[in-house]
Amino acid sequence: LVIGQLGLAETLQILIDCDHTDSKGLELAKCIEDLFKTRCKEFKESTHLNFGVYYTPAENLCYTAMTKFKEKYGVIPKVSDRTYFTNSMHVPVWHKLDPFEKIDIESQLTGYSSGGCITYVELPVSTLNNIDALETIINYAMKKDVPYAAVNIPVDRCECGFTSEMNDVCPKCGSDKILKLRRVTGYLSSDYRHFNKGKQDEVEDREKHINS
């Protein structure tokens, strides 16, 4: 039995007007996650059932929950002014951070979950040619004891076979028949444009985690 969550960043904005990219927000985030972990332990002991904390990917919920939230509370700046809630305890996708900064923040929260957590970094397609950089990032995540680390690199594929990150047309043949693969949740799935509007907007809002 799991207690899932989403929208930690938005919760912090409501409570203290910052998210966990700020040190004050990160400290409160730890308190919130510790409360989840403690409650699950209490439920476990009282019911003899296996409760756990799950950092849910909220595949459709990120959009539907935000829609319901807006119906009840309206549009609140930094909280409900987008079409989706931030996944679980993730740093919001629109923050400009390098991969190590993102790992540093999220690695301090993953330990409160007994399962179902992912920390990913978003990188440009050119990184595929930089094996040393990829290895450095993965080793850094391992050093920080991240249980499930991933590197997201766009995989767009044209009908002609050309693969890279593309906009509306293939730079090689000019076709607009392009399959746009992204890690939308915890896995690579079909074309991200098949997901609901919230997930599509979240993918399009993502900043690449590269050094400034």
Side-chain angles (χ1 to χ4, degrees):
L1 297 169
V2 296
I3 295 180
Q5 60 171 282
L6 77 168
L8 174 64
E10 289 82 2
T11 299
L12 295 170
Q13 288 287 358
I14 290 172
L15 294 174
I16 57 174
D17 198 31
C18 70
D19 60 37
H20 44 315
T21 56
D22 183 287
S23 59
K24 182 174 68 170
L26 184 56
E27 288 310 305
L28 181 56
K30 291 177 184 177
C31 293
I32 292 171
E33 299 307 341
D34 187 57
L35 179 62
F36 269 89
K37 185 176 181 179
T38 300
R39 285 288 184 268
C40 280
K41 183 180 178 183
E42 292 170 357
F43 297 155
K44 217 172 181 180
E45 291 171 351
S46 64
T47 65
H48 303 291
L49 296 172
N50 190 22
F51 278 88
V53 183
Y54 181 57
Y55 290 153
T56 173
E59 295 170 9
N60 289 311
L61 184 63
C62 75
Y63 174 65
T64 55
M66 178 61 84
T67 301
K68 295 294 184 184
F69 185 95
K70 286 181 179 179
E71 288 174 2
K72 188 169 184 177
Y73 301 108
V75 175
I76 302 171
K78 301 179 184 178
V79 176
S80 57
D81 51 1
R82 285 180 163 83
T83 58
Y84 57 91
F85 278 114
T86 299
N87 265 355
S88 64
M89 54 71 197
H90 283 175
V91 170
V93 298
W94 55 86
H95 277 302
K96 295 179 184 293
L97 301 172
D98 70 34
F100 310 106
E101 290 171 320
K102 189 173 193 290
I103 292 168
D104 280 339
I105 294 168
E106 293 183 4
S107 65
Q108 295 182 60
L109 300 172
T110 55
Y112 295 101
S113 169
S114 52
C117 59
I118 181 172
T119 288
Y120 69 82
V121 294
E122 198 82 18
L123 299 174
V125 72
S126 58
T127 316
L128 287 171
N129 301 315
N130 192 339
I131 302 302
D132 289 342
L134 290 170
E135 193 171 278
T136 298
I137 291 168
I138 294 300
N139 286 340
Y140 190 80
M142 293 173 67
K143 179 182 175 183
K144 290 290 182 174
D145 202 26
V146 172
Y148 182 7
V151 174
N152 293 354
I153 296 174
V155 185
D156 296 343
R157 184 177 179 82
C158 176
E159 62 178 351
C160 75
F162 180 73
T163 301
S164 185
E165 184 172 11
M166 292 176 257
N167 294 317
D168 296 327
V169 296
C170 174
K172 184 176 180 180
C173 73
S175 172
D176 61 358
K177 293 181 173 60
I178 297 168
L179 184 67
K180 287 180 171 285
L181 287 180
R182 300 289 188 278
R183 188 192 302 274
V184 177
T185 51
Y187 45 83
L188 278 170
S189 55
S190 64
D191 192 310
Y192 80 90
R193 294 169 295 186
H194 295 162
F195 283 80
N196 65 31
K197 179 170 172 52
K199 272 299 174 195
Q200 290 182 46
D201 289 348
E202 187 252 293
V203 170
E204 290 168 7
D205 284 348
R206 291 178 184 177
E207 289 286 342
K208 297 289 194 294
H209 300 121
I210 53 178
N211 292 324
S212 58

